[in-house]
mmCIF file of all heavy atoms in Angstrom:
data_model
loop_
_atom_site.group_PDB
_atom_site.id
_atom_site.type_symbol
_atom_site.label_atom_id
_atom_site.label_comp_id
_atom_site.label_asym_id
_atom_site.label_seq_id
_atom_site.Cartn_x
_atom_site.Cartn_y
_atom_site.Cartn_z
ATOM 1 N N ARG A 732 17.945 -6.905 11.921
ATOM 2 C CA ARG A 732 16.557 -6.498 11.726
ATOM 3 C C ARG A 732 16.321 -5.184 12.454
ATOM 4 O O ARG A 732 17.098 -4.807 13.340
ATOM 5 C CB ARG A 732 15.569 -7.574 12.173
ATOM 6 C CG ARG A 732 15.486 -7.799 13.657
ATOM 7 C CD ARG A 732 14.491 -8.909 13.974
ATOM 8 N NE ARG A 732 14.444 -9.207 15.391
ATOM 9 C CZ ARG A 732 13.545 -8.732 16.241
ATOM 10 N NH1 ARG A 732 12.589 -7.917 15.818
ATOM 11 N NH2 ARG A 732 13.571 -9.058 17.514
ATOM 12 N N ILE A 733 15.250 -4.490 12.069
ATOM 13 C CA ILE A 733 14.866 -3.253 12.749
ATOM 14 C C ILE A 733 13.843 -3.629 13.811
ATOM 15 O O ILE A 733 12.908 -4.396 13.543
ATOM 16 C CB ILE A 733 14.262 -2.229 11.751
ATOM 17 C CG1 ILE A 733 15.284 -1.843 10.675
ATOM 18 C CG2 ILE A 733 13.717 -1.009 12.495
ATOM 19 C CD1 ILE A 733 16.480 -1.044 11.179
ATOM 20 N N ARG A 734 14.023 -3.065 15.010
ATOM 21 C CA ARG A 734 13.142 -3.415 16.116
ATOM 22 C C ARG A 734 12.474 -2.157 16.648
ATOM 23 O O ARG A 734 13.122 -1.108 16.770
ATOM 24 C CB ARG A 734 13.985 -4.059 17.219
ATOM 25 C CG ARG A 734 13.234 -4.596 18.404
ATOM 26 C CD ARG A 734 14.232 -5.413 19.253
ATOM 27 N NE ARG A 734 13.572 -6.009 20.402
ATOM 28 C CZ ARG A 734 13.496 -5.427 21.585
ATOM 29 N NH1 ARG A 734 14.017 -4.235 21.777
ATOM 30 N NH2 ARG A 734 12.881 -6.043 22.581
ATOM 31 N N VAL A 735 11.156 -2.266 16.937
ATOM 32 C CA VAL A 735 10.412 -1.180 17.599
ATOM 33 C C VAL A 735 10.071 -1.698 18.996
ATOM 34 O O VAL A 735 9.305 -2.656 19.133
ATOM 35 C CB VAL A 735 9.129 -0.823 16.813
ATOM 36 C CG1 VAL A 735 8.228 0.102 17.617
ATOM 37 C CG2 VAL A 735 9.482 -0.180 15.479
ATOM 38 N N ALA A 736 10.657 -1.083 20.025
ATOM 39 C CA ALA A 736 10.466 -1.573 21.395
ATOM 40 C C ALA A 736 9.217 -0.976 22.037
ATOM 41 O O ALA A 736 8.672 -1.532 22.996
ATOM 42 C CB ALA A 736 11.692 -1.249 22.235
ATOM 43 N N ALA A 737 8.759 0.189 21.531
ATOM 44 C CA ALA A 737 7.545 0.836 22.070
ATOM 45 C C ALA A 737 6.963 1.709 20.965
ATOM 46 O O ALA A 737 7.713 2.248 20.131
ATOM 47 C CB ALA A 737 7.905 1.695 23.279
ATOM 48 N N PHE A 738 5.634 1.863 20.932
ATOM 49 C CA PHE A 738 5.015 2.733 19.925
ATOM 50 C C PHE A 738 5.582 4.142 20.046
ATOM 51 O O PHE A 738 5.885 4.611 21.156
ATOM 52 C CB PHE A 738 3.498 2.797 20.126
ATOM 53 C CG PHE A 738 2.776 1.508 19.801
ATOM 54 C CD1 PHE A 738 1.831 0.981 20.691
ATOM 55 C CD2 PHE A 738 2.999 0.849 18.605
ATOM 56 C CE1 PHE A 738 1.142 -0.193 20.393
ATOM 57 C CE2 PHE A 738 2.314 -0.334 18.291
ATOM 58 C CZ PHE A 738 1.399 -0.852 19.188
ATOM 59 N N GLY A 739 5.704 4.829 18.918
ATOM 60 C CA GLY A 739 6.210 6.209 18.974
ATOM 61 C C GLY A 739 6.772 6.641 17.636
ATOM 62 O O GLY A 739 6.412 6.083 16.596
ATOM 63 N N ARG A 743 12.119 5.363 17.317
ATOM 64 C CA ARG A 743 11.894 4.027 17.895
ATOM 65 C C ARG A 743 12.481 2.910 17.034
ATOM 66 O O ARG A 743 12.531 1.758 17.471
ATOM 67 C CB ARG A 743 10.390 3.752 18.040
ATOM 68 C CG ARG A 743 9.654 4.734 18.919
ATOM 69 C CD ARG A 743 9.993 4.533 20.362
ATOM 70 N NE ARG A 743 9.101 5.316 21.196
ATOM 71 C CZ ARG A 743 9.281 5.508 22.478
ATOM 72 N NH1 ARG A 743 10.315 4.978 23.082
ATOM 73 N NH2 ARG A 743 8.437 6.228 23.177
ATOM 74 N N LEU A 744 12.841 3.233 15.787
ATOM 75 C CA LEU A 744 13.362 2.199 14.878
ATOM 76 C C LEU A 744 14.851 2.004 15.167
ATOM 77 O O LEU A 744 15.657 2.888 14.889
ATOM 78 C CB LEU A 744 13.179 2.623 13.421
ATOM 79 C CG LEU A 744 11.740 2.903 12.964
ATOM 80 C CD1 LEU A 744 11.739 3.595 11.609
ATOM 81 C CD2 LEU A 744 10.942 1.610 12.864
ATOM 82 N N THR A 745 15.194 0.860 15.740
ATOM 83 C CA THR A 745 16.611 0.621 16.046
ATOM 84 C C THR A 745 17.060 -0.689 15.401
ATOM 85 O O THR A 745 16.271 -1.633 15.257
ATOM 86 C CB THR A 745 16.869 0.565 17.564
ATOM 87 O OG1 THR A 745 16.014 -0.433 18.120
ATOM 88 C CG2 THR A 745 16.587 1.901 18.231
ATOM 89 N N VAL A 747 19.027 -4.136 15.316
ATOM 90 C CA VAL A 747 19.567 -5.150 16.235
ATOM 91 C C VAL A 747 20.174 -6.292 15.418
ATOM 92 O O VAL A 747 19.776 -6.540 14.288
ATOM 93 C CB VAL A 747 18.481 -5.717 17.194
ATOM 94 C CG1 VAL A 747 18.018 -4.674 18.175
ATOM 95 C CG2 VAL A 747 17.294 -6.303 16.433
ATOM 96 N N GLU A 749 20.967 -10.375 15.636
ATOM 97 C CA GLU A 749 20.537 -11.557 16.393
ATOM 98 C C GLU A 749 20.939 -12.810 15.629
ATOM 99 O O GLU A 749 21.229 -12.730 14.434
ATOM 100 C CB GLU A 749 19.013 -11.547 16.531
ATOM 101 C CG GLU A 749 18.509 -10.461 17.460
ATOM 102 C CD GLU A 749 16.982 -10.361 17.475
ATOM 103 O OE1 GLU A 749 16.330 -10.893 16.557
ATOM 104 O OE2 GLU A 749 16.468 -9.747 18.397
ATOM 105 N N PRO A 771 1.385 2.423 5.822
ATOM 106 C CA PRO A 771 0.948 1.483 6.867
ATOM 107 C C PRO A 771 2.036 1.239 7.907
ATOM 108 O O PRO A 771 1.740 1.013 9.083
ATOM 109 C CB PRO A 771 0.633 0.201 6.083
ATOM 110 C CG PRO A 771 0.330 0.655 4.705
ATOM 111 C CD PRO A 771 1.194 1.853 4.464
ATOM 112 N N ASP A 772 3.321 1.302 7.492
ATOM 113 C CA ASP A 772 4.415 1.079 8.451
ATOM 114 C C ASP A 772 4.447 2.172 9.512
ATOM 115 O O ASP A 772 4.764 1.923 10.679
ATOM 116 C CB ASP A 772 5.770 1.066 7.727
ATOM 117 C CG ASP A 772 5.855 0.008 6.646
ATOM 118 O OD1 ASP A 772 5.089 -0.966 6.706
ATOM 119 O OD2 ASP A 772 6.685 0.172 5.734
ATOM 120 N N LEU A 773 4.121 3.407 9.085
ATOM 121 C CA LEU A 773 4.101 4.525 10.043
ATOM 122 C C LEU A 773 2.936 4.352 11.021
ATOM 123 O O LEU A 773 3.068 4.589 12.227
ATOM 124 C CB LEU A 773 3.968 5.859 9.308
ATOM 125 C CG LEU A 773 5.273 6.515 8.800
ATOM 126 C CD1 LEU A 773 5.997 5.644 7.781
ATOM 127 C CD2 LEU A 773 4.989 7.875 8.188
ATOM 128 N N LEU A 774 1.781 3.920 10.480
ATOM 129 C CA LEU A 774 0.602 3.713 11.326
ATOM 130 C C LEU A 774 0.880 2.604 12.347
ATOM 131 O O LEU A 774 0.523 2.729 13.533
ATOM 132 C CB LEU A 774 -0.608 3.328 10.466
ATOM 133 C CG LEU A 774 -1.071 4.367 9.433
ATOM 134 C CD1 LEU A 774 -2.003 3.737 8.410
ATOM 135 C CD2 LEU A 774 -1.783 5.534 10.123
ATOM 136 N N ILE A 775 1.537 1.533 11.895
ATOM 137 C CA ILE A 775 1.858 0.416 12.792
ATOM 138 C C ILE A 775 2.844 0.879 13.866
ATOM 139 O O ILE A 775 2.699 0.567 15.047
ATOM 140 C CB ILE A 775 2.405 -0.781 11.972
ATOM 141 C CG1 ILE A 775 1.259 -1.425 11.167
ATOM 142 C CG2 ILE A 775 3.093 -1.807 12.864
ATOM 143 C CD1 ILE A 775 1.679 -2.512 10.198
ATOM 144 N N ARG A 776 3.857 1.668 13.457
ATOM 145 C CA ARG A 776 4.865 2.180 14.416
ATOM 146 C C ARG A 776 4.223 3.069 15.474
ATOM 147 O O ARG A 776 4.592 3.047 16.649
ATOM 148 C CB ARG A 776 5.925 2.960 13.627
ATOM 149 C CG ARG A 776 7.151 3.345 14.423
ATOM 150 C CD ARG A 776 7.866 4.516 13.768
ATOM 151 N NE ARG A 776 7.094 5.732 13.936
ATOM 152 C CZ ARG A 776 6.942 6.682 13.002
ATOM 153 N NH1 ARG A 776 7.522 6.564 11.822
ATOM 154 N NH2 ARG A 776 6.213 7.752 13.251
ATOM 155 N N GLU A 777 3.216 3.855 15.036
ATOM 156 C CA GLU A 777 2.525 4.770 15.958
ATOM 157 C C GLU A 777 1.461 4.063 16.798
ATOM 158 O O GLU A 777 0.911 4.641 17.733
ATOM 159 C CB GLU A 777 1.860 5.902 15.168
ATOM 160 C CG GLU A 777 2.838 6.924 14.623
ATOM 161 C CD GLU A 777 3.464 7.798 15.713
ATOM 162 O OE1 GLU A 777 2.800 8.100 16.709
ATOM 163 O OE2 GLU A 777 4.645 8.159 15.547
ATOM 164 N N GLY A 778 1.107 2.825 16.405
ATOM 165 C CA GLY A 778 0.087 2.086 17.147
ATOM 166 C C GLY A 778 -1.329 2.452 16.770
ATOM 167 O O GLY A 778 -2.264 2.189 17.534
ATOM 168 N N THR A 779 -1.532 3.033 15.566
ATOM 169 C CA THR A 779 -2.900 3.396 15.160
ATOM 170 C C THR A 779 -3.440 2.443 14.084
ATOM 171 O O THR A 779 -4.513 2.678 13.546
ATOM 172 C CB THR A 779 -2.994 4.844 14.602
ATOM 173 O OG1 THR A 779 -2.320 4.898 13.350
ATOM 174 C CG2 THR A 779 -2.390 5.859 15.545
ATOM 175 N N TYR A 780 -2.690 1.400 13.778
ATOM 176 C CA TYR A 780 -3.127 0.479 12.717
ATOM 177 C C TYR A 780 -3.999 -0.617 13.317
ATOM 178 O O TYR A 780 -3.527 -1.377 14.181
ATOM 179 C CB TYR A 780 -1.898 -0.134 12.033
ATOM 180 C CG TYR A 780 -2.218 -0.968 10.827
ATOM 181 C CD1 TYR A 780 -2.353 -0.389 9.576
ATOM 182 C CD2 TYR A 780 -2.384 -2.349 10.935
ATOM 183 C CE1 TYR A 780 -2.634 -1.153 8.460
ATOM 184 C CE2 TYR A 780 -2.674 -3.119 9.822
ATOM 185 C CZ TYR A 780 -2.791 -2.512 8.595
ATOM 186 O OH TYR A 780 -3.082 -3.276 7.485
ATOM 187 N N GLY A 783 -2.784 -4.239 14.253
ATOM 188 C CA GLY A 783 -1.323 -4.275 14.113
ATOM 189 C C GLY A 783 -0.657 -4.965 15.289
ATOM 190 O O GLY A 783 -1.318 -5.266 16.292
ATOM 191 N N PRO A 784 0.653 -5.220 15.178
ATOM 192 C CA PRO A 784 1.357 -5.907 16.272
ATOM 193 C C PRO A 784 1.570 -5.009 17.480
ATOM 194 O O PRO A 784 1.533 -3.785 17.356
ATOM 195 C CB PRO A 784 2.710 -6.243 15.631
ATOM 196 C CG PRO A 784 2.909 -5.158 14.611
ATOM 197 C CD PRO A 784 1.542 -4.816 14.079
ATOM 198 N N THR A 785 1.793 -5.620 18.633
ATOM 199 C CA THR A 785 2.173 -4.845 19.820
ATOM 200 C C THR A 785 3.687 -5.006 20.017
ATOM 201 O O THR A 785 4.241 -6.056 19.704
ATOM 202 C CB THR A 785 1.432 -5.332 21.079
ATOM 203 O OG1 THR A 785 1.490 -6.752 21.108
ATOM 204 C CG2 THR A 785 -0.016 -4.899 21.084
ATOM 205 N N PRO A 786 4.358 -3.957 20.516
ATOM 206 C CA PRO A 786 5.812 -4.012 20.662
ATOM 207 C C PRO A 786 6.222 -5.124 21.639
ATOM 208 O O PRO A 786 5.463 -5.441 22.550
ATOM 209 C CB PRO A 786 6.160 -2.634 21.235
ATOM 210 C CG PRO A 786 4.983 -1.765 20.911
ATOM 211 C CD PRO A 786 3.802 -2.667 20.920
ATOM 212 N N PRO A 787 7.423 -5.670 21.497
ATOM 213 C CA PRO A 787 8.389 -5.344 20.449
ATOM 214 C C PRO A 787 8.060 -6.068 19.143
ATOM 215 O O PRO A 787 7.577 -7.194 19.171
ATOM 216 C CB PRO A 787 9.708 -5.858 21.026
ATOM 217 C CG PRO A 787 9.313 -7.015 21.894
ATOM 218 C CD PRO A 787 7.961 -6.678 22.462
ATOM 219 N N PHE A 788 8.327 -5.389 18.028
ATOM 220 C CA PHE A 788 8.106 -6.008 16.718
ATOM 221 C C PHE A 788 9.044 -5.376 15.697
ATOM 222 O O PHE A 788 9.680 -4.346 15.964
ATOM 223 C CB PHE A 788 6.640 -5.832 16.273
ATOM 224 C CG PHE A 788 6.233 -4.395 16.084
ATOM 225 C CD1 PHE A 788 6.440 -3.756 14.864
ATOM 226 C CD2 PHE A 788 5.655 -3.675 17.123
ATOM 227 C CE1 PHE A 788 6.084 -2.426 14.700
ATOM 228 C CE2 PHE A 788 5.286 -2.346 16.956
ATOM 229 C CZ PHE A 788 5.505 -1.719 15.742
ATOM 230 N N THR A 789 9.070 -6.014 14.528
ATOM 231 C CA THR A 789 9.825 -5.486 13.391
ATOM 232 C C THR A 789 8.817 -5.032 12.347
ATOM 233 O O THR A 789 7.954 -5.820 11.966
ATOM 234 C CB THR A 789 10.743 -6.592 12.812
ATOM 235 O OG1 THR A 789 11.744 -6.877 13.783
ATOM 236 C CG2 THR A 789 11.405 -6.167 11.518
ATOM 237 N N PRO A 790 8.870 -3.771 11.900
ATOM 238 C CA PRO A 790 7.942 -3.346 10.850
ATOM 239 C C PRO A 790 8.335 -3.952 9.498
ATOM 240 O O PRO A 790 9.389 -4.565 9.384
ATOM 241 C CB PRO A 790 8.104 -1.822 10.813
ATOM 242 C CG PRO A 790 9.083 -1.463 11.865
ATOM 243 C CD PRO A 790 9.796 -2.706 12.294
ATOM 244 N N GLY A 791 7.497 -3.684 8.501
ATOM 245 C CA GLY A 791 7.815 -4.166 7.146
ATOM 246 C C GLY A 791 6.660 -4.937 6.551
ATOM 247 O O GLY A 791 6.481 -6.114 6.835
ATOM 248 N N VAL A 819 2.741 -7.765 6.372
ATOM 249 C CA VAL A 819 2.104 -6.810 7.301
ATOM 250 C C VAL A 819 3.123 -6.232 8.291
ATOM 251 O O VAL A 819 3.189 -5.034 8.473
ATOM 252 C CB VAL A 819 0.877 -7.389 8.027
ATOM 253 C CG1 VAL A 819 0.218 -6.329 8.909
ATOM 254 C CG2 VAL A 819 -0.124 -7.945 7.016
ATOM 255 N N PHE A 820 3.898 -7.082 8.940
ATOM 256 C CA PHE A 820 5.034 -6.593 9.734
ATOM 257 C C PHE A 820 6.114 -7.662 9.674
ATOM 258 O O PHE A 820 5.846 -8.798 9.282
ATOM 259 C CB PHE A 820 4.629 -6.250 11.174
ATOM 260 C CG PHE A 820 4.035 -7.389 11.945
ATOM 261 C CD1 PHE A 820 4.831 -8.165 12.780
ATOM 262 C CD2 PHE A 820 2.685 -7.688 11.844
ATOM 263 C CE1 PHE A 820 4.283 -9.222 13.496
ATOM 264 C CE2 PHE A 820 2.126 -8.740 12.558
ATOM 265 C CZ PHE A 820 2.932 -9.514 13.381
ATOM 266 N N GLY A 821 7.344 -7.268 10.014
ATOM 267 C CA GLY A 821 8.442 -8.240 10.035
ATOM 268 C C GLY A 821 9.432 -8.114 8.894
ATOM 269 O O GLY A 821 10.480 -8.752 8.909
ATOM 270 N N GLY A 822 9.118 -7.288 7.894
ATOM 271 C CA GLY A 822 9.926 -7.260 6.671
ATOM 272 C C GLY A 822 11.266 -6.536 6.762
ATOM 273 O O GLY A 822 12.168 -6.821 5.984
ATOM 274 N N TYR A 823 11.432 -5.600 7.706
ATOM 275 C CA TYR A 823 12.673 -4.813 7.762
ATOM 276 C C TYR A 823 13.775 -5.670 8.389
ATOM 277 O O TYR A 823 14.184 -5.468 9.550
ATOM 278 C CB TYR A 823 12.508 -3.566 8.635
ATOM 279 C CG TYR A 823 11.580 -2.461 8.161
ATOM 280 C CD1 TYR A 823 10.768 -2.596 7.050
ATOM 281 C CD2 TYR A 823 11.543 -1.252 8.862
ATOM 282 C CE1 TYR A 823 9.935 -1.562 6.646
ATOM 283 C CE2 TYR A 823 10.708 -0.211 8.468
ATOM 284 C CZ TYR A 823 9.903 -0.381 7.352
ATOM 285 O OH TYR A 823 9.084 0.646 6.979
ATOM 286 N N HIS A 1051 11.347 6.634 7.269
ATOM 287 C CA HIS A 1051 10.085 7.032 7.911
ATOM 288 C C HIS A 1051 9.977 8.553 7.989
ATOM 289 O O HIS A 1051 8.903 9.119 7.794
ATOM 290 C CB HIS A 1051 9.977 6.405 9.308
ATOM 291 C CG HIS A 1051 9.488 4.993 9.273
ATOM 292 N ND1 HIS A 1051 8.556 4.487 10.148
ATOM 293 C CD2 HIS A 1051 9.777 3.967 8.433
ATOM 294 C CE1 HIS A 1051 8.299 3.215 9.872
ATOM 295 N NE2 HIS A 1051 9.050 2.871 8.837
#
Side-chain angles (χ1 to χ4, degrees):
R732 70 181 177 98
I733 299 292
R734 185 170 182 268
V735 169
F738 291 132
R743 300 288 190 191
L744 301 168
T745 56
V747 292
E749 290 174 343
D772 302 338
L773 274 62
L774 298 164
I775 288 173
R776 190 202 72 219
E777 287 290 326
T779 69
Y780 187 86
T785 46
F788 63 87
T789 292
V819 183
F820 59 96
Y823 293 7
H1051 278 223

